[in-house]
Every structure is written in C-alpha cells, then in structure tokens.
Amino acid sequence: MSELKRTILYDCHLKSGAQMVPFGGWDMPVMYGGGILAEHLATRKGAGLFDVSHMGRFVFRGSRALEFLQYALTNNAEALDSLDRGAQYTLIPTTAGTAVDDAYLYRFEDDEYLLVVNAGNRDKDWQHFQELLKTFDHVELIDRSDDLAMVSVQGPTSRSMVSAIIAAGRLPEPARNALSTVSIAGARVLLARTGYTGEPLGFELFIPRAAAVDVWERLVENGATPVGLGARDTLRLEAALPLYGHELGTDSDGHEIPIFACQLAKFGVSFSPLKGDFMGRRSLARQHDAFRKILFRDFSAMADLPRMIRPLVLAGRGIARQGAKVFDGDRIVGTVTSGTMVPYWEFAGQSVHADLSDTNQRRSICLAYIDSDILDEAPLSVEIRGKQVPAMAVPYHMRSEAPPYTRPILYDHGRVRKAVESDTTQADALRLLKKATVNHRWRQQACINLIPSEMTASPLVRMLSITDPSFRYAEHRKLKAYYDAEVFYYQGCDFIDEVEALLVKEMKRYFGCAEVETRVISGQMANTAVYSAMLDYINRADRKCEPRRMRKVMNNHIGKGGHLSAQPMGALRDFVARDPATERPSVVNFPVLPDNPFRIDVPSTLKLIDQHRPELIIFGKSMVISKEPVAPVRTFLDQQGIDAVVMYDMAHVLGLAGPHFQDPFKEGADLVTGSTHKTFFGTQRGVVASRYAEADERYALWEAIERRTFPGSVSNHHLGTLVGLLLAAYEMNHFKDAYQSAVISNAKAFARALADCGLHVAGDPAEGYTETHQVLVDVGYAKGPQIAWRLEANNIICNYQAGPEDESFSASGMLRMGVSEMTRFGMGPQGFQQLAQLMRDVVMDDILVKEAVSRLREQYLDIQYCFNADVFEEQMRKLMETLM
C-alpha cells in the first residue's frame, strides 16, 4: 500500500485530538474528541470547520477554456459571466449520460476557471480531461491541489466567524454561489458561498498553502468546531446531497447510475444552445425528458430513467446501510445508497419565532436508489439484519430556506394549524364584533404605528368608502367606434362615471401628467398591468405568433430594497425572457455604492444600460431612503438613442411626489405606478400615471395599459374605495405642501434621535440619514423578528426587513419604519425624539415601556392634513343616517 498523503493541516488535526483514517489516498480526520454526533450538532447550531484540501483543484485557462468546459461539463459555464462571476454545481459526464464525477466550478477571475473534484477521483478526472484536451488547443490545465489549500466553514454562525478574520475585502453577496476575494492573515483568499452540508450559511475558502494553518487557527480561535469526515457525511446525507460511489457511479449491481437519477441534476445539467453538442448530451436529453414526465406522474418513459435517488425515513429501529434492499410489499424496488442515524436540534415555538433549543433527538434516515414510480409518502420497508423495518419515501429530510438555521422535517410532525374559537354562529359573530372593537381601539388609540406601507384614512374618506358603491359593479372600457367614449356594462353607473372622471383629473393635477389609470386596486396590480401592456405593445405588429417577453429589464434587487413586484419571483416573472447565457430571468440590477447600498451607483448604472440596452427600466424600492436617479438615466438614454421605457414604482413615496422629494415626470419618467394608501393617504388601491399624450408615438403603450387594466386585470374595481380615494385626492392636493415637508422633517428628526440614542441607523448622516418618510435601523443579524415582536409587545408597531447583507427575510437584521401615519396624527420632532428614547430602551435594554408608549400616543389621536369634519357636519349626519 502506498504511503498516505497528508494535507497542510495534518498537524492541526492531531493537535485537536483527531482520529485519523485513510480516505481516497489521504490520511484524514474522521472525527475529533467529541465524536460524530457532537460535530454534526455543532455545525447545525454554530459553525463546523472542515479540511477539504484533499479534494482536487484544477484550473483551466486559455482562449478556448470556456469552449472546452462547455463540452466537458454538464452545466452552462457561460452563466458564470464576467459581470456576476460566481460558482455552479456541475458533473463530468460520460457519453452514456453517467457520471465520471461531480464537481463545482468557480470563476474568481475573468481569464480562468477553478474546478473542484472529489479526492478519490482526482487522478481519474485528470486523465479524463487530458484525453479530451487532445482535440482542444489553446487550453491550459493546471493542478493546483497542492499549492492551494481548501477549508470549509458551515453553519449559522459561520458568517460572523469569517467576517471577524477578514482584514480587507467583503463577504460575497448573500446568495448561494456568490464569490469574493479577501485578505486574511496577509494572504489573498478566494471566498465562496458554497458547501456540502445543506446549511443556508456556509463558506469555502481557497487559501495559499503557506497561510492555511494561520487561517485555520484563526477560525478555531473565533469558535469554529473542527469536523471530520464522519459528520461531513451525516450532514450531506441529511441534506440529501449525493456522494460519488454511493449516489453517483455504479449501483449495487454494478450498473452505471444515470445522472438524472440524482435530483440535483436539474441544477447541474444545462441544455442551453450556447453549449452546443456536449459530452453525453443525447443520453442526458432522454433522461431529462423522462425526469420531467416522472415529476408529473407520467411514467411512460421510465425505460430511460428506471430508478431515482430518493430520501427515505425509517419508522422503526435500525440503521439502513448501503446495499440494504428496499421493498414495496414483497417486491424489491431498490437498494439503499447511504444511510445512518442523524441527530437534530429541536425548535421551540413556531414560524420566525421558533428558537433553537438545547435538546436534541435522533432519527434514522437514508438515500435509496428505487423505482421511479414510487410516490412520496409511499409505505415501504428496508431489510435490516434480516428484518423488514417500515420506511417511507419523502421529498427531503430538512429545509434550508429559513436562515440562519436548517430545519429538520419530521414526517410524523403534522402541519401547524392555528386553533380558533368557535361556538354558535350568533355567538361567533358577537365575539368578532367585540374583538374588532378591541383591535380598533388598540391600533388607533394605544399603539404608535411606524409601518411605512400603512396609513389611516381620514374620517371622511372612511365614511365614503362604505357607501352604496362598495356593493356595486361598474365595468367599462373605451371603444374606438364611439370615439373613445366609455361604454359601461352595468346600469346605475352615472355617479361612478363622474367619480372616476374627477379622480383622474385630481391625480393628473397631483402628478402633473397626461394620463392616469385608477381602476387597478393595488400597487402590485398596477405593475402587473404595465408589464402585461409592455408585451402587448412590443408584440403589436404580429398577433399570430407567441408573444415574446421583454428581452431585458433593469431594476433594484430585492436584497437592496427593491419591490417584490419588480422581481422575477414576483409580478415580473411571466413577462421577462430568460437570458440564454445565464439561463436566469433576463434582469440586470442597479449597482449600488459600496459604502451606501441604498443609493444607486449612477456611473456604473449608465455603463450597464449601454451594455444591456434594457427595454424597461424600473425605479422604486420598498426600503427607500434616497432619491432615484431618474434624471441622469433619462439624459443618458436620450443621448445614446436607447429606446427604453422608464417606470418609477413610487408605491412607498407616492405621497411625497413633488418638489419636497422627487418629481418623476419632470425628471424624465415615462410611467409612475404606486399604492394609494402609504404616504399617499388614500384608500387601499393602486394607480398608473403616464406622461404620454395622445399625440405621442408611445401613446399606444398607454392604450395597452388601459386594456390590460380592464379587461386584463380587474372586473369589479372596488367602487367604494374608489369614492373614498377621490376625497383623499382632494385632501392631498389641498394639504400636500405642509404634509410632505412635515413628513420629511420628522423622518430626519426621528433618524437623528435614534442615532443619538446609540442605535445603528442606516443611511448617510450628512443627509439626515433619509430623504423620505422611512428610517432604517440595523438591530443585528437575524434579530429583526425578535426585536419587532418585542416592540409590538410595547405598542410600537414596525416591521423587520432583510438588509443588503442578509440572506433572507427570516434572517432579517433591520427594522423598517415610516413616520407618515404618526405625522398625520400630529406628531412632530419632539414626539419622535421621545419615541426614539422609548425604542432605545426596548431594543437595547429590553425595558417594558408599554404604558409610556400609550401615554405618548394619547397626545396624537386626531388626524391632521384633512378637511375639518365640522365644515361638513350637516352632510356627514345625513350620510350617516343612510348608512345605519
């Protein structure tokens, strides 16, 4: 037997009490003093530190490197473009569509690619690539496995640990497969948000050999737990991740396992036309067709994918080991590929308020290669030591979409259902009335509301919103045959016809624009109507073909405060094409300033616009403390002759439109959308406004927006709130100067007071931290839900948000607050300064201030910036008589 190789960290393992074992030709730690289960739990609760320097690291360079990787690997390497770079899971295929190995491809530099392969396959993979390279010139293959060490830090505290040792540079963007380059211990370290544990937070570090020990020791000093191969295997098994030689390679009968038998193949295999005819493409295409059919319970193509790797849970005692037979009744349907007993932490509580406890349990799980027609939750059994142990096929063993923790999924747990009181119908109705009364008094008289997307309407607006039209329909549209006269499809609509005409007039006056559509009933619906109209407009020349989607859209990324409705995961999803290079929605995000992620980097933006030529540019955010650069973008578009529609989703700042904040149409916006119930103090509806007059070339786009509103988006457009909105529009146009200046002044005063109290306020202090109604406070990574709940218990209502550095909503570290509603109730700078001190006591010292908050709120109960009800007293009395 040849001598085992050792990584540069070998002595570190011995120092930590590691038990060393042979693995893939290497002398590696299988576990340390605490044992495999303890290391598994430490990773799931804190951070596990793994030496993965035994894995192969190959670098590809040269003018044809990308072309070679497109042929030799299954994924689309061109998706790692020079703009985003990044990493991707991929496989090294055979012509038969099986796996030589699976791997991870990284692009840290523009001119090279780094491929990480399994340790036991390093020599085999090298020879495989050398053989393929005989037909490719101008490709350089370099083995950097010896001079570039590799360690992995995985777990919920890994982010803080890695951050603590970075001397220069930044963590990668908070997204899977994001990359960055940093300085640690005087060395240039390549840092990736990748890993093999299923943890939502995790990093892999590529370190020059000479600095590896120093980096390892610094991570240990910061609390990382060294983890061996044993727990590395249990962690990846719990995450249902494949291991070559088990879920990839050959099965228990010696047959090659098709790549699409592993469900990660849907992420690791690309059929992009940019790849051309790559290795194994035809075989993989057949497997993929079978895979898609099987997902929809069509088993007609099972001959191309007879078995698949599936997670199984065992209901009885025992551990399923590799090779154990799986039965459906008396019929053998497959074999176990990996199995073990894994520990898991229990959680106390529900949803985002569930806390990790100090109690752990164990469960027996496995992966199995079983017949493709076995359904989830199908009763099966696994043969263990001659006995049939009950088992069940499941879709997963855990979930990772709620950082910072993974969540074990126990299939005897059952869904969480909220218990509700119920009695007789009449008693239930009485209970509802009582609770509604209590809730109304609490929110309107005892609480201070800081949610920036909410607003209490004036008494007159509320009263009008429950009048007779709230029960009625008034569908209508313009017809060219009647010279664009509105045709109503219901009778009794004269009043609504007049209301709509007056509302359009008032909104035109407010925006200073040519056209307004008021029938949309939410800001998101307004955006959807615009996106749909864009497709209608760009496909207007050919109504017989499948309409093409928008080729490219530019927007604010949701992680940088962008609106959900402007994201591919939101309303934009069905209207934007996929980029053939990245195979992702064809969206490019506004770059932001490094020292202020809430402000767009204008020079970089203009370069991207010139490069990508978007058809639609969407300004607007849900976390908005700065103006949007509408004017410089419009100037650039006009100078360069770029034909793009500029849309500003002003949902949060609609009530601030004008000289006190930003006047979008004067600055060059084509369209403005928004919600009418945030800073604009109307009823809960939406609006679309346009600068296009009838003589404009793009007036056809406006007509498409009207069509995609009705009949495209709405039928009953909620006539009661429409009437209320007209009164709110009158109020806004009458009081807007005083209201808008007060809102912005209060926001700055509130932000300064919070900062003076020692809280971390986001934004530029030189600008008073904010230019809008919003104030953003960083309360610490993943502490947002807890702090927001604590504030609510003290009658301060705000909402937590994921900041630019946070991975998801569940890991929010930021509070988003708005001053507009309390400004409307008369609160001024002095009141907000008092509120800031009360919030400081809650956030920093967990002091109970509920009574003090209620006393403060009692000073601000009457809505301001609205018409005095006394002036309308007689008419209000008559209206109330008709309502009762």
Side-chain angles (χ1 to χ4, degrees):
M1 183 177 179
S2 60
E3 184 177 350
L4 294 174
K5 292 178 283 189
R6 296 174 176 176
T7 75
I8 188 64
L9 299 170
Y10 177 81
D11 290 339
C12 295
H13 303 319
L14 296 182
K15 181 180 177 181
S16 297
Q19 178 181 329
M20 309 298 289
V21 297
F23 181 81
W26 293 79
D27 199 4
M28 295 294 294
V30 67
M31 62 179 175
Y32 297 81
I36 292 173
L37 297 182
E39 292 168 19
H40 183 115
L41 291 169
T43 302
R44 295 287 188 234
K45 195 171 192 177
L49 178 60
F50 306 79
D51 177 11
V52 287
S53 299
H54 61 305
M55 301 186 75
R57 288 171 292 290
F58 302 156
V59 168
F60 295 85
R61 294 176 180 163
S63 60
R64 297 186 68 193
L66 175 59
E67 182 184 350
F68 174 76
L69 293 172
Q70 292 287 59
Y71 176 76
L73 303 178
T74 59
N75 217 332
N76 177 18
E78 193 164 338
L80 310 181
D81 60 24
S82 58
L83 175 64
D84 296 329
R85 298 185 184 165
Q88 62 183 204
Y89 177 70
T90 191
L91 295 103
I92 307 170
T94 67
T95 54
T98 59
V100 176
D101 201 359
D102 65 340
Y104 234 90
L105 183 66
Y106 301 79
R107 190 179 185 186
F108 288 98
E109 310 287 351
D110 285 347
D111 58 352
E112 70 177 38
Y113 298 84
L114 173 65
L115 186 72
V116 176
V117 300
N118 285 297
N121 290 338
R122 174 178 162 186
D123 293 338
K124 179 184 71 170
D125 294 347
W126 179 268
Q127 292 303 320
H128 175 78
F129 288 134
Q130 291 289 359
E131 189 66 28
L132 294 181
L133 281 169
K134 291 179 180 178
T135 59
F136 284 84
D137 55 5
H138 302 294
V139 181
E140 184 181 7
L141 173 58
I142 306 166
D143 189 348
R144 296 203 61 192
S145 307
D146 294 332
D147 64 277
L148 193 65
M150 183 177 176
V151 300
S152 181
V153 192
Q154 304 284 307
T157 62
S158 61
R159 191 176 99 159
S160 60
M161 290 180 182
V162 174
S163 294
I165 66 170
I166 294 176
R170 302 170 63 92
L171 290 178
E173 288 290 310
R176 179 76 177 172
N177 295 327
L179 310 179
S180 68
T181 302
V182 299
S183 175
I184 303 176
R188 181 176 182 267
V189 175
L190 308 178
L191 187 57
R193 282 188 181 259
T194 53
Y196 190 50
T197 61
E199 282 293 326
L201 271 71
F203 302 86
E204 292 183 312
L205 294 78
F206 299 88
I207 313 161
R209 181 180 178 87
V213 171
D214 197 354
V215 172
W216 177 276
E217 290 178 345
R218 291 185 185 210
L219 288 166
V220 171
E221 289 170 3
N222 276 277
T225 300
V227 178
L229 295 173
R232 180 170 164 83
D233 189 52
T234 61
L235 290 161
R236 72 90 193 169
L237 174 55
E238 188 180 28
L241 298 174
L243 174 63
Y244 191 88
H246 292 255
E247 289 73 41
L248 295 167
T250 57
D251 64 15
S252 58
D253 296 323
H255 300 131
E256 291 285 328
I257 299 174
I259 282 175
F260 268 96
C262 173
Q263 295 198 36
L264 268 189
K266 63 186 176 184
F267 302 107
V269 179
S270 168
F271 296 101
S272 168
L274 298 175
K275 285 182 65 62
D277 189 16
F278 62 91
M279 176 77 76
R281 179 178 184 126
R282 293 183 182 180
S283 298
L284 289 169
R286 289 195 299 272
Q287 293 176 30
H288 183 239
D289 181 63
F291 177 80
R292 288 189 301 178
K293 289 179 177 177
I294 289 166
L295 287 183
F296 290 97
R297 299 190 181 184
D298 175 356
F299 305 110
S300 61
M302 270 185 62
D304 291 314
L305 200 61
R307 287 184 170 177
M308 296 179 68
I309 303 294
R310 301 278 296 285
L312 268 62
V313 293
L314 274 66
R317 292 186 176 183
I319 298 176
R321 300 297 187 188
Q322 184 178 18
K325 293 182 175 59
V326 180
F327 289 83
D328 180 3
D330 296 331
R331 181 172 62 95
I332 297 175
V333 294
T335 58
V336 171
T337 56
S338 301
T340 191
M341 184 76 71
V342 298
Y344 62 91
W345 292 107
E346 292 186 324
F347 283 82
Q350 295 179 4
S351 186
V352 293
H353 301 299
D355 294 323
L356 200 63
S357 73
D358 293 325
T359 304
N360 64 82
Q361 301 291 342
R362 300 181 187 181
R363 55 181 175 153
S364 184
I365 64 172
C366 65
L367 294 174
Y369 188 42
I370 59 176
D371 289 356
S372 297
D373 57 358
I374 300 293
L375 303 179
D376 284 339
E377 301 189 17
L380 304 169
S381 62
V382 177
E383 188 176 69
I384 301 176
R385 296 178 180 176
K387 295 183 179 180
Q388 300 291 316
V389 176
M392 181 173 65
V394 295
Y396 33 73
H397 295 310
M398 67 176 210
R399 300 290 295 185
S400 301
E401 74 265 33
Y405 300 109
T406 60
R407 311 279 166 157
I409 301 299
L410 311 177
Y411 282 88
D412 59 351
H413 184 280
R415 290 188 176 185
V416 175
R417 299 188 185 277
K418 189 175 182 66
V420 293
E421 299 177 77
S422 184
D423 200 344
T424 65
T425 304
Q426 183 169 310
D428 288 346
L430 180 60
R431 184 184 300 112
L432 172 62
L433 290 172
K434 289 179 178 179
K435 289 189 173 182
T437 302
V438 170
N439 178 73
H440 186 84
R441 286 176 176 165
W442 177 60
R443 290 299 299 265
Q444 290 289 322
Q445 298 175 12
C447 288
I448 290 179
N449 185 56
L450 298 175
I451 295 179
S453 52
E454 294 180 355
M455 175 62 73
T456 296
S458 72
L460 287 175
V461 169
R462 279 180 277 173
M463 188 177 298
L464 284 172
S465 296
I466 60 171
T467 57
D468 180 81
S470 62
F471 319 127
R472 309 304 175 197
Y473 274 76
E475 295 174 353
H476 63 89
R477 64 184 300 189
K478 295 175 182 177
L479 290 182
K480 296 292 183 183
Y482 299 128
Y483 300 98
D484 279 346
E486 296 285 354
V487 176
F488 281 79
Y489 298 100
Y490 287 81
Q491 302 307 118
C493 298
D494 288 351
F495 174 62
I496 291 302
D497 188 14
E498 180 183 4
V499 165
E500 285 196 46
L502 291 170
L503 178 57
V504 167
K505 177 183 177 181
E506 285 301 308
M507 296 305 284
K508 285 181 181 180
R509 176 185 168 198
Y510 178 74
F511 287 117
C513 66
E515 296 283 2
V516 175
E517 173 59 74
T518 63
R519 287 174 294 178
V520 287
I521 57 175
S522 72
Q524 173 138 335
M525 184 178 288
N527 287 354
T528 303
V530 171
Y531 305 150
S532 179
M534 283 291 294
L535 265 61
D536 194 344
Y537 178 71
I538 63 181
N539 290 281
R540 65 192 183 282
D542 193 342
R543 297 298 189 184
K544 293 186 176 181
C545 292
E546 186 71 22
R548 75 164 177 87
R549 301 182 180 189
M550 287 180 280
R551 293 193 180 102
K552 188 79 71 172
V553 173
M554 177 173 268
N555 68 358
N556 284 294
H557 189 276
I558 193 168
K560 301 297 188 296
H563 284 293
L564 176 63
S565 61
Q567 309 300 317
M569 71 177 72
L572 190 62
R573 176 186 178 92
D574 297 325
F575 304 101
V576 64
R578 283 193 171 263
D579 188 324
T582 65
E583 297 182 274
R584 299 193 297 268
S586 193
V587 172
V588 59
N589 301 130
F590 292 114
V592 298
L593 297 175
D595 58 344
N596 186 356
F598 297 101
R599 186 177 287 279
I600 291 173
D601 180 340
V602 176
S604 297
T605 293
L606 301 183
K607 291 179 182 178
L608 289 179
I609 291 174
D610 194 35
Q611 176 186 347
H612 291 278
R613 305 281 167 138
E615 291 183 291
L616 177 64
I617 297 173
I618 308 172
F619 290 109
K621 299 177 181 178
S622 60
M623 295 177 72
V624 51
I625 56 175
S626 302
K627 297 181 178 71
E628 298 280 72
V630 178
V633 167
R634 167 54 66 193
T635 299
F636 182 77
L637 293 173
D638 292 344
Q639 289 174 345
Q640 301 299 315
I642 298 173
D643 187 21
V645 173
V646 177
M647 167 183 158
Y648 194 163
D649 179 355
M650 295 193 80
H652 276 269
V653 291
L654 195 77
L656 302 180
H660 296 284
F661 172 59
Q662 188 161 18
D663 196 328
F665 288 115
K666 286 185 178 179
E667 295 179 27
D670 297 310
L671 302 170
V672 169
T673 64
S675 308
T676 56
H677 53 270
K678 296 177 182 176
T679 49
F680 196 100
F681 41 63
T683 51
Q684 290 192 337
R685 300 187 60 83
V687 66
V688 184
S690 169
R691 73 172 178 86
Y692 301 131
E694 192 168 355
D696 290 330
E697 180 184 353
R698 275 233 172 98
Y699 193 74
L701 173 57
W702 175 250
E703 292 178 309
I705 290 172
E706 290 182 312
R707 290 194 301 272
R708 300 319 300 155
T709 297
F710 178 81
S713 300
V714 296
S715 174
N716 181 354
H717 51 286
H718 297 193
L719 307 183
T721 57
L722 188 76
V723 179
L725 182 57
L726 175 56
L727 196 286
Y730 288 143
E731 291 178 335
M732 177 60 77
N733 280 330
H734 190 81
F735 295 102
K736 68 177 180 180
D737 284 335
Y739 164 73
Q740 290 178 352
S741 60
V743 167
I744 294 171
S745 175
N746 280 339
K748 290 180 182 292
F750 187 38
R752 283 193 298 268
L754 289 166
D756 290 343
C757 288
L759 293 174
H760 182 195
V761 181
D764 186 349
E767 296 177 344
Y769 298 97
T770 181
E771 297 178 292
T772 73
H773 66 303
Q774 287 192 14
V775 177
L776 308 177
V777 174
D778 188 344
V779 294
Y781 179 68
K783 293 181 179 179
Q786 172 195 352
I787 298 297
W789 178 86
R790 192 190 299 172
L791 287 166
E792 180 183 338
N794 284 277
N795 284 2
I796 299 172
I797 311 296
C798 62
N799 73 298
Y800 57 89
Q801 288 280 318
E805 303 300 323
D806 299 334
E807 288 79 15
S808 82
F809 200 74
S810 61
S812 300
M814 192 160 280
L815 300 181
R816 182 184 68 156
M817 297 172 289
V819 302
S820 49
E821 180 164 331
M822 291 312 302
T823 296
R824 239 190 138 209
F825 276 107
M827 185 178 281
Q830 184 178 356
F832 280 106
Q833 288 165 6
Q834 291 178 260
L835 177 60
Q837 183 61 51
L838 292 170
M839 289 187 64
R840 179 257 171 232
D841 292 343
V842 175
V843 174
M844 299 182 71
D845 294 334
D846 197 11
I847 296 174
L848 186 65
V849 299
K850 184 175 182 178
E851 294 303 320
V853 170
S854 293
R855 288 194 298 272
L856 179 61
R857 177 59 203 268
E858 287 173 0
Q859 303 175 42
Y860 308 106
L861 297 178
D862 296 324
I863 289 183
Q864 311 293 313
Y865 308 105
C866 61
F867 295 130
N868 190 331
D870 294 341
V871 177
F872 303 95
E873 183 176 1
E874 177 63 20
Q875 191 57 47
M876 286 181 66
R877 183 185 60 78
K878 292 180 179 179
L879 182 58
M880 284 294 295
E881 289 174 355
T882 68
L883 296 175
M884 299 301 293

